[in-house]
Amino acid sequence: MLSRKAILSGLLLMMVIMTAQMPASRVPVPVTLSWPDYFGNRVFLPAGNPVTEDGIALGRRLFYEKALSSTDQMNCATCHQQAKAFTDGKRFSAGADGVLQPRNTMSLANLLWVRQLFWDGRAASLEEQAVTPLTAAHEMGQSLEVAAAKLQRQRRYPALFRRAFGSDSITGDRIVKALAQFERTLISANSRYDQYLQGKYQPSVAESNGITLFYANTDTARGIRGAGCAHCHGGPKTYSDLFHNNGLDSLPADAGRQLITGQAYDKGRFRVATLRNIALTAPYMHDGRFPDLESVIDHYSEHVAHSETLSPFLQQPLRLTGREKKDLLAFLHMLTDSTFITDPRFSNPFNNN
């Protein structure tokens, strides 16, 4: 029979071995995101959720994790596919229960600069935004508490959360924080338009004419033709953190921003979405009514519907010529960033397992 001393010595040895085998605690490594200077530095990086290597890696995995849905059959990427600039090509996406969403899926490109998320601007941060698709009954349909419990039971996740947040505890708050960290890295800034801005690309005649049309306003007295798109989509990021009624209907079926603010002047107003990768994100508008960019250009040229809240920039029809429409289309295709839709940093990590 072993002596008490021998037993204690054996236990001590086992503890030493187990301690040596435990992963060393690690401090999350912060990541410095980069973008062209002309994008500006008015970004949203909350102090309570710094972007780190392990946080991004976890968020990327969660973005493609089907256990976050009530049926274990869908994930964030179901509606936000990288090849389509993180949209899904559908007019309305179906939730886990098969019910269609009331609005078209928005692209996730360059959200680091966006202050008010969703078409109606109801969310003030990516952390807040993530809660809705995860928990809404007709989207992924699962509470954050249930999602956290499911991940806690999986072999890999406790260690991944420890690396990202310092402990094995998995919570809904940490889930949305990791997703937000990953989504902040989805920066699209390598289109032909970017290369043109950096002096590395010479636009074709059609593209050059399209750029001029996009930024210019028609001035009949001076003989200048313009589409005035830059009123809403001006600047290199091609979006503004504003809401406009863009004349889809004289009596908007969807009240839009008014549902959030309760203000009559917000009726039919929706967030100005980025035009980055616009050629990849059809169909268009909050209700996906336009199947292609030609239809969008035709709308702004000839078919804007007047109403009390119509944007002041759309009061007069553009009446673009056929040539002008083609030139404007050529410019919009310049905004496609092929490296963004193929970047392995944004791809499904489960495909590598």
Side-chain angles (χ1 to χ4, degrees):
M1 181 178 292
L2 293 174
S3 67
R4 179 183 176 88
K5 183 177 180 180
I7 293 174
L8 290 174
S9 297
L11 289 173
L12 181 60
L13 178 61
M14 288 177 62
M15 290 176 64
V16 171
I17 293 173
M18 290 173 63
T19 300
Q21 292 176 341
M22 290 177 63
S25 61
R26 38 188 288 168
V27 177
V29 179
V31 170
T32 300
L33 301 177
S34 62
W35 54 83
D37 290 341
Y38 51 75
F39 267 33
N41 294 320
R42 192 168 176 262
V43 298
F44 297 89
L45 291 166
N49 188 26
V51 179
T52 67
E53 288 183 0
D54 290 314
I56 294 169
L58 174 59
R60 176 187 170 202
R61 189 176 183 88
L62 292 175
F63 191 85
Y64 291 94
E65 176 55 74
K66 294 182 178 180
L68 294 184
S69 69
S70 59
T71 59
D72 294 331
Q73 296 299 311
M74 70 179 296
N75 52 28
C76 302
T78 301
C79 300
H80 297 284
Q81 300 166 23
Q82 184 181 7
K84 295 181 174 68
F86 294 96
T87 60
D88 64 358
K90 300 176 181 178
R91 185 174 182 185
F92 300 112
S93 306
D97 60 358
V99 175
L100 296 180
Q101 303 307 303
R103 294 174 181 159
N104 184 254
T105 297
M106 302 187 82
S107 171
L108 301 184
N110 298 335
L111 296 183
L112 185 61
W113 289 266
V114 179
R115 288 177 177 268
Q116 301 169 103
L117 297 128
F118 292 108
W119 282 106
D120 53 22
R122 78 188 78 159
S125 69
L126 282 171
E127 288 80 0
E128 183 181 343
Q129 182 276 332
V131 175
T132 294
L134 288 172
T135 62
H138 301 312
E139 294 194 51
M140 293 174 74
Q142 182 168 267
S143 72
L144 292 177
E145 291 76 17
V146 170
K150 288 167 70 173
L151 297 181
Q152 194 80 59
R153 292 193 293 268
Q154 293 194 28
R155 179 178 60 85
R156 286 193 175 188
Y157 278 110
L160 294 176
F161 274 82
R162 180 173 65 249
R163 290 182 175 185
F165 296 108
S167 78
D168 293 351
S169 177
I170 300 176
T171 65
D173 180 64
R174 287 179 170 181
I175 290 173
V176 298
K177 282 183 174 179
L179 284 168
Q181 286 189 48
F182 170 65
E183 290 174 352
R184 288 190 173 100
T185 71
L186 301 178
I187 297 173
S188 179
N190 192 33
S191 65
R192 278 177 291 150
Y193 181 51
D194 292 291
Q195 294 162 21
Y196 157 70
L197 292 175
Q198 296 164 16
K200 301 175 182 177
Y201 176 75
Q202 179 62 46
S204 67
V205 172
E207 290 170 340
S208 182
N209 290 340
I211 294 171
T212 300
L213 278 168
F214 187 87
Y215 283 100
N217 299 311
T218 293
D219 187 334
T220 305
R222 299 172 60 190
I224 296 175
R225 291 284 294 166
C229 309
H231 282 303
C232 297
H233 296 284
K237 295 189 296 296
T238 67
Y239 101 101
S240 58
D241 207 24
L242 299 171
F243 300 84
H244 283 282
N245 177 338
N246 62 343
L248 296 177
D249 303 289
S250 57
L251 294 173
D254 186 333
R257 180 70 172 163
Q258 185 185 31
L259 296 174
I260 305 304
T261 67
Q263 301 298 321
Y265 58 74
D266 278 328
K267 186 173 184 178
R269 295 174 70 205
F270 294 89
R271 182 159 73 82
V272 176
T274 181
L275 298 184
R276 291 285 176 155
N277 301 295
I278 193 68
L280 305 175
T281 61
Y284 304 104
M285 305 300 169
H286 71 275
D287 57 6
R289 69 175 62 189
F290 296 133
D292 49 48
L293 285 173
E294 289 84 352
S295 300
V296 174
I297 295 173
D298 284 344
H299 164 72
Y300 287 116
S301 178
E302 291 106 26
H303 303 298
V304 171
H306 283 263
S307 66
E308 291 183 358
T309 61
L310 178 66
S311 170
F313 305 121
L314 298 174
Q315 297 295 323
Q316 300 298 322
L318 297 175
R319 304 298 183 194
L320 299 172
T321 67
R323 179 72 265 167
E324 287 171 335
K325 290 180 180 180
K326 290 180 179 179
D327 290 345
L328 198 55
L329 186 64
F331 166 65
L332 294 177
H333 278 273
M334 281 183 71
L335 299 171
T336 299
D337 180 354
S338 59
T339 60
F340 179 68
I341 62 173
T342 57
D343 194 322
R345 296 175 300 169
F346 309 146
S347 66
N348 189 344
F350 293 96
N351 292 341
N352 302 324
N353 290 351

